[in-house]
Amino acid sequence: MTTPDHILAALLPLVDDLSRDLPEAERYRRLLEALRGLVPCDASALLRLEGQELVPLAVNGLSVDTLGRRFRVADHPRFAALLGQAGPTLFPSDSPLPDPYDGLVTAEPHLDVHDCMGCPLQVDGTPWGLVTLDALEAGRFDTNDLATLRAFASLAGATVAAGDRMRGLERDAEREHSRAEGFRLAAGQAPVRRLTGLSPAFRHLQEDIATVAHSDLTVLIRGETGTGKELVAQAIHAASTRADRPLIAVNCAALPEQLLESELFGHVRGAFSGATTDRRGKFELADHGTLFLDEVADLSLGAQAALLRVMQSGQLQRVGSDREHRVDVRTIAASNRDLADEVRAGRCRADFYHRLSVYPLVVPTLRERGNDVLLLAGGFLEENRARLGLNGIRLSSEAQARLLGWTWPGNVRELEHTVGRASLKALSRAGRGKVLVIEAGDLDIAPSETAAPAPNADAIPPRDAAGLTLRAALDLYERQRIEEALARSGGRWAAAARDLGMDRANLRRSAARLGIA
């Protein structure tokens, strides 16, 4: 079948992109922009299959928090149906299958999706993921659009393959993570969460992880409580050459002093009362893998000395034995305290600190991460949707503004608990509708307590919003952001849309509604 000229014209720039070293986000943004030019729709998305989950890599016309969600295929029959087909699928407008994007289309979030189609993407004959298109109007798509999507899918597969080649080692790490996830799920264990974010602070953290992961250097992770230090340790291990070996975690704060050496180095039978068998310690369990020492600042000076010897020599003795055991272990440590300050205070040995801090790494606080709050909230919303047995769940625009304005002293952990409580409150208030909407009043963050954001954080400046209703304040803030983006881009709408992380057509509609010429 001959491909129509207008499709070829739209695809040619994407062919040129295959040979260019583009950032992944920009490559995928262009892909979706070209698709929406060929098939007008209200929303589109590119999702990668990772294990049993679909992970959005790029979205167009969907709420920001969609990028933070991980869609379990078994929970979403439309996704399962798309992955089960070799080519594109157009669902009937009256399909009883719930749409994963109901309530998430930014043009009209209160409306459900009425037309949906999608196509699986393959790389080297292996399922890679999906591209999806949605419309709020029934009958928007037809068989001609299916043919267009079929022609588009082959080039989309080449585009994502090029992106994978550019990402190289990072993709290998994700395969290792998916394999490890399979083992965890088969064993009935909860899946490990992934690091999520797009902010400059988060990207800097990702660069640090990529830099140090493939070495065997000892890493010291520092960050406030709740920032996700253990997830960073897991990411370093997953991207390392030791990824197929164990990652053994030790909570140093929970280890009684009298049992610490037995836990870390093991013991032999009869070493002490209750030692009825020989037992390997955490270092031996982590042999050829990684040992993660969480809350390492809580170790006593004596414990630090014992650990230092093993870290330096790679040799240990089990409690009650004179026999030396050699281990090959990479050490990653974490603390919410500054160990340099602990050294000055006499609570940490200087040699132990320098042995740990070969590669220091700082995890940014949530208040430094801007719109990442909404991405993370999206992930927690999807978890609560599955836990509560809901068809869909979303944040109202007022609730999004409330989350963006809070300072998050408890960081990501506080956000997780806040979203969980709000989900329960919204369910109790509104009942089981098709899509549960979390309103600002469901969040246990009082408006009077919402603090002004740090510089560059995406929140409404209170001084400009004083005396306005919430809707008027949101409009004011949206207008300010759009005008600032247009000023930075020299009046170029496409560049301003990229700066704001939104679709150009949606930006035009928002500008027209706000009276921006």
Side-chain angles (χ1 to χ4, degrees):
M1 183 179 69
T2 303
T3 303
D5 291 344
H6 75 285
I7 297 179
L8 288 173
L11 297 184
L12 281 176
L14 297 180
V15 175
D16 292 339
D17 286 348
L18 293 177
S19 60
R20 300 175 62 190
D21 186 7
L22 292 172
E24 183 185 62
E26 177 62 12
R27 185 182 300 278
Y28 296 153
R29 185 197 66 78
R30 293 185 184 204
L31 185 73
L32 290 185
E33 191 173 74
L35 178 58
R36 290 191 73 175
L38 289 169
V39 184
C41 59
D42 292 303
S44 58
L46 177 69
L47 305 101
R48 182 171 58 218
L49 183 64
E50 294 184 7
Q52 302 301 312
E53 296 177 322
L54 283 164
V55 181
L57 298 185
V59 299
N60 201 317
L62 295 169
S63 65
V64 175
D65 66 81
T66 308
L67 283 171
R69 299 184 182 228
R70 300 178 67 85
F71 298 101
R72 192 165 179 267
V73 176
D75 293 342
H76 296 283
R78 289 207 188 204
F79 284 153
L82 290 174
L83 288 170
Q85 299 296 317
T89 299
L90 173 59
F91 292 95
S93 297
D94 58 353
S95 170
L97 300 179
D99 194 290
Y101 303 136
D102 279 341
L104 300 181
V105 179
T106 53
E108 299 286 350
H110 60 283
L111 295 180
D112 292 337
V113 170
H114 286 291
D115 242 18
C116 170
M117 70 176 184
C119 186
L121 302 181
Q122 299 215 348
V123 174
D124 298 328
T126 302
W128 184 94
L130 293 174
V131 61
T132 63
L133 299 94
D134 289 271
L136 299 174
E137 176 189 353
R140 174 80 68 86
F141 305 134
D142 57 28
T143 54
N144 291 329
D145 295 322
L146 275 177
T148 300
L149 184 56
R150 188 185 302 276
F152 181 85
S154 59
L155 183 59
T159 297
V160 298
D164 280 356
R165 286 195 298 272
M166 298 298 179
R167 296 168 71 229
L169 294 172
E170 184 183 344
R171 181 66 175 155
D172 292 339
E174 283 170 358
R175 279 196 291 267
E176 291 292 347
H177 181 276
S178 295
R179 185 169 67 169
E181 278 296 273
F183 291 143
R184 289 181 61 86
L185 294 173
Q189 299 178 6
V192 174
R193 288 196 178 122
R194 301 289 297 276
L195 290 168
T196 300
L198 292 173
S199 65
F202 180 80
R203 287 176 178 167
H204 180 71
L205 173 64
Q206 284 184 308
E207 290 168 2
D208 269 343
I209 291 172
T211 298
V212 75
H214 293 279
S215 73
D216 263 347
L217 296 181
T218 302
V219 180
L220 176 60
I221 304 169
R222 186 163 63 86
E224 292 183 6
T225 297
T227 50
K229 297 183 289 295
E230 185 168 1
L231 292 184
V232 172
Q234 291 168 357
I236 293 172
H237 175 74
S240 74
T241 57
R242 299 172 181 260
D244 60 344
R245 305 295 294 181
L247 169 65
I248 303 297
V250 179
N251 184 349
C252 299
L255 282 179
E257 180 71 22
Q258 62 272 25
L259 295 179
L260 186 139
E261 289 197 21
S262 172
E263 282 293 312
L264 292 176
F265 311 134
H267 62 254
V268 297
R269 180 180 178 183
F272 51 83
S273 176
T276 57
T277 60
D278 290 357
R279 182 174 180 270
R280 292 187 299 165
K282 302 298 187 185
F283 268 94
E284 286 187 79
L285 292 173
D287 194 21
H288 297 291
T290 304
L291 183 68
F292 174 53
L293 301 173
D294 199 9
E295 304 300 345
V296 71
D298 287 314
L299 290 172
S300 67
L301 294 174
Q304 293 172 25
L307 267 172
L308 182 63
R309 175 182 177 275
V310 179
M311 292 170 63
Q312 288 176 331
S313 67
Q315 293 182 320
L316 60 85
Q317 292 179 344
R318 294 180 182 176
V319 176
S321 172
D322 294 330
R323 181 187 168 196
E324 292 279 356
H325 294 263
R326 176 165 290 278
V327 291
D328 173 17
V329 174
R330 183 194 194 166
T331 305
I332 300 176
S335 177
N336 59 9
R337 287 183 258 167
D338 188 334
L339 290 193
D341 290 341
E342 297 296 298
V343 171
R344 286 188 286 271
R347 293 186 292 268
C348 180
R349 295 171 58 107
D351 50 1
F352 183 64
Y353 165 65
H354 290 298
R355 171 61 63 176
L356 289 179
S357 62
V358 177
Y359 196 99
L361 192 155
V362 178
V363 184
T365 62
L366 188 52
R367 59 186 169 273
E368 297 174 283
R369 295 177 55 182
N371 267 347
D372 282 357
V373 171
L374 296 183
L375 270 67
L376 290 161
F380 297 138
L381 286 170
E382 185 62 19
E383 289 179 10
N384 280 278
R385 184 207 59 76
R387 181 171 57 85
L388 297 173
L390 303 171
N391 287 328
I393 184 171
R394 69 174 180 88
L395 296 164
S396 70
S397 58
E398 291 82 3
Q400 290 183 5
R402 188 76 60 85
L403 292 180
L404 287 168
W406 187 237
T407 55
W408 302 111
N411 292 290
V412 179
R413 188 176 299 133
E414 182 187 357
L415 174 63
E416 176 188 1
H417 296 162
T418 299
V419 171
R421 288 191 297 269
S423 300
L424 286 173
K425 290 179 180 179
L427 181 59
S428 175
R429 169 181 54 78
R432 292 182 177 273
K434 191 165 186 181
V435 176
L436 182 66
V437 180
I438 294 178
E439 302 289 353
D442 298 317
L443 301 168
D444 51 3
I445 303 172
S448 59
E449 296 174 358
T450 303
N456 299 322
D458 295 333
I460 299 171
R463 63 183 182 277
D464 294 336
L468 298 178
T469 64
L470 181 59
R471 181 70 262 170
L474 288 168
D475 285 346
L476 171 64
Y477 174 61
E478 187 177 2
R479 181 187 180 92
Q480 289 173 343
R481 289 294 306 275
I482 292 174
E483 289 175 340
E484 289 167 2
L486 285 169
R488 285 192 298 270
S489 67
R492 289 173 294 137
W493 289 92
R498 285 196 296 274
D499 186 10
L500 293 167
M502 63 188 300
D503 174 53
R504 180 171 54 183
N506 286 341
L507 175 60
R508 286 276 195 180
R509 282 194 291 268
S510 295
R513 178 176 60 82
L514 296 167
I516 301 173

